[in-house]
């Protein structure tokens, strides 16, 4: 007999951000087939126009909330569909962010930094090492805003590989960011999108996961799906990795409150 569904995938997108494909319905169908109990849809929140990125517009936010609401109703009793948002963090975005967040009552708020062009213009100099440091400094600052439940793809910057960016060089910056995240009580995701790109490695890297465990930072599983087939991507492998790092439980958020389940139980529930 199949084990009871218990696990949530806490990070996925909708076509409203302009760079993901598939309707939420299709993501839900994959989640059900994989044995998940639920999904948290966390599309990218609107950005000011000078950030020049494909995102939903400020005017579209109510449409996004309605889209997730309709999916939630349709799947009620089969799969628990929840409303979340992935928020781009940068110090200059704080008041903008507060305005957006006043318009939504989500189950889950993720903070992430994609060092996109506008971010680079604002914060990067010619020194690539300084770029790396400011990224981790900003992740710590994001945790301390008090707005977020979790940090998305913690070491995303490693994807923008440069020869100078051996993470060992930034061990201290990474540890300081984790200290701030732990002190602020945030969760960090184990994001399997990294396994789909050329690095073939989760965000964060294994040594960072062990640093997180030392600080007892909870972990949420995240596929960061930008198409339906990505839902619950490599979750078996992610749960094994988590156990290897010393974790016994995995977390997710409902109504902004962290829930946790045993890794073994989560593992047995996947199909
Ligand atoms: Zn995206
Ligand atoms: Zn994402």
């Amino acid at each position: 007999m199949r084990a009871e569904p218990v696990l949530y995938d806490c990070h996925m997108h909708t076509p409203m951000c302009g760079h993901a494909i598939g309707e939420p319905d299709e993501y839900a169908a994959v989640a059900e087939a994989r044995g998940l109990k639920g999904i948290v849809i966390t599309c990218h929140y609107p950005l000011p126009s000078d950030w020049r990125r494909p995102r939903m517009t400020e005017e579209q936010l109510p449409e996004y909330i309605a889209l997730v609401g309709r999916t939630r109703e349709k799947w009620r009793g089969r799969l628990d569909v929840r409303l979340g948002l992935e928020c781009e963090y940068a110090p200059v975005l704080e008041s903008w962010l507060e305005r957006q967040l006043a318009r939504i009552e989500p189950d889950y708020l993720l903070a992430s930094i994609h060092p996109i062009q506008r971010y680079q213009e604002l914060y990067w100099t010619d020194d690539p090492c300084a770029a790396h440091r400011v990224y981790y400094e900003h992740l710590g600052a994001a945790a301390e805003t008090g707005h977020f439940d979790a940090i998305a793809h913690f070491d995303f910057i490693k994807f923008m590989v440069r020869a100078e960016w051996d993470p060992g060089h930034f061990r201290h910056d990474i540890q300081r960011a984790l200290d701030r995240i732990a002190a602020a009580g945030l969760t960090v995701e184990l994001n399997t999108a990294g396994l789909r790109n050329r690095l073939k490695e989760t965000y964060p890297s294994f040594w960072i996961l062990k640093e997180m465990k030392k600080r007892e930072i909870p972990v949420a599983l995240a596929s960061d799906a930008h198409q339906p087939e990505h839902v619950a991507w490599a979750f078996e492998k992610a749960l094994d990795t988590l156990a290897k790092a010393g974790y016994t439980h995995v977390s997710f958020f409902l109504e902004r409150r962290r829930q946790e389940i045993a890794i073994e139980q989560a593992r047995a529930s996947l199909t």
Side-chain angles (χ1 to χ4, degrees):
M1 205 181 87
R2 203 186 109 184
E4 180 201 347
V6 286
L7 193 58
Y8 284 69
D9 182 341
C10 301
H11 187 158
M12 64 192 62
H13 294 274
T14 75
M16 290 197 64
C17 66
H19 64 270
I21 55 170
E23 291 305 315
D25 238 11
E26 300 170 63
Y27 289 65
V30 175
E32 186 187 43
R34 288 285 272 125
L36 297 189
K37 182 175 185 186
I39 53 175
V40 189
I41 300 176
T42 53
C43 211
H44 299 280
Y45 88 133
L47 277 174
S49 56
D50 64 337
W51 282 65
R52 307 181 299 273
R53 289 297 284 193
R55 294 285 191 264
M56 71 177 94
T57 63
E58 216 181 341
E59 294 70 35
Q60 285 175 312
L61 188 63
E63 202 185 308
Y64 168 67
I65 296 169
L67 174 66
V68 177
R70 279 198 306 277
T71 312
R72 178 171 171 77
E73 284 315 312
K74 183 167 172 192
W75 285 83
R76 193 180 287 283
R78 287 169 68 189
L79 185 83
D80 188 17
V81 178
R82 299 284 178 150
L83 174 68
L85 213 51
E86 177 177 8
C87 305
E88 196 74 39
Y89 177 78
V92 293
L93 287 172
E94 277 192 30
S95 57
W96 164 270
L97 171 72
E98 277 159 26
R99 203 167 77 222
Q100 307 308 322
L101 294 186
R103 304 165 64 209
I104 185 167
E105 279 187 64
D107 283 279
Y108 185 50
L109 283 180
L110 274 172
S112 66
I113 299 175
H114 302 85
I116 53 184
Q117 193 188 339
R118 184 72 189 125
Y119 181 87
Q120 294 185 16
E121 288 163 6
L122 287 165
Y123 300 111
W124 284 15
T125 63
D126 292 337
D127 176 358
C129 292
H132 211 109
R133 298 216 155 89
V134 79
Y135 170 87
Y136 284 110
E137 150 61 26
H138 286 165
L139 282 186
E144 287 165 3
T145 61
H147 292 311
F148 306 112
D149 302 306
I151 301 291
H153 43 67
F154 177 84
D155 57 351
F156 183 83
I157 195 168
K158 75 184 173 188
F159 175 63
M160 309 172 81
V161 188
R162 295 200 198 180
E164 308 89 314
W165 285 358
D166 170 359
H169 294 168
F170 307 103
R171 185 170 286 269
H172 200 70
D173 302 278
I174 288 172
Q175 286 170 330
R176 195 161 46 227
L178 291 176
D179 287 340
R180 294 170 76 186
I181 290 166
L186 267 75
T187 291
V188 171
E189 58 173 34
L190 181 58
N191 183 313
T192 58
L195 294 168
R196 300 193 296 269
N197 74 34
R198 65 194 151 81
L199 292 181
K200 302 270 182 282
E201 186 186 271
T202 55
Y203 305 112
S205 302
F206 188 64
W207 77 269
I208 297 177
L209 205 54
K210 286 192 290 186
E211 290 290 323
M212 284 160 50
K213 175 63 184 136
K214 279 186 207 161
R215 292 162 178 78
E216 295 297 346
I217 295 174
V219 173
L221 280 198
S223 68
D224 207 345
H226 282 71
Q227 57 191 71
E229 313 78 71
H230 291 164
V231 172
W233 184 275
F235 270 19
E236 291 86 349
K237 187 173 179 180
L239 286 167
D240 291 348
T241 304
L242 209 50
K244 218 165 92 191
Y247 280 92
T248 54
H249 289 75
V250 60
S251 296
F252 53 87
F253 282 76
L254 305 175
E255 295 173 358
R256 309 296 306 274
R257 274 197 292 273
R258 191 171 67 82
Q259 326 275 325
E260 59 176 24
I261 49 168
I263 286 175
E264 261 174 53
Q265 197 190 354
R267 190 76 169 72
S269 72
L270 287 170
T271 49

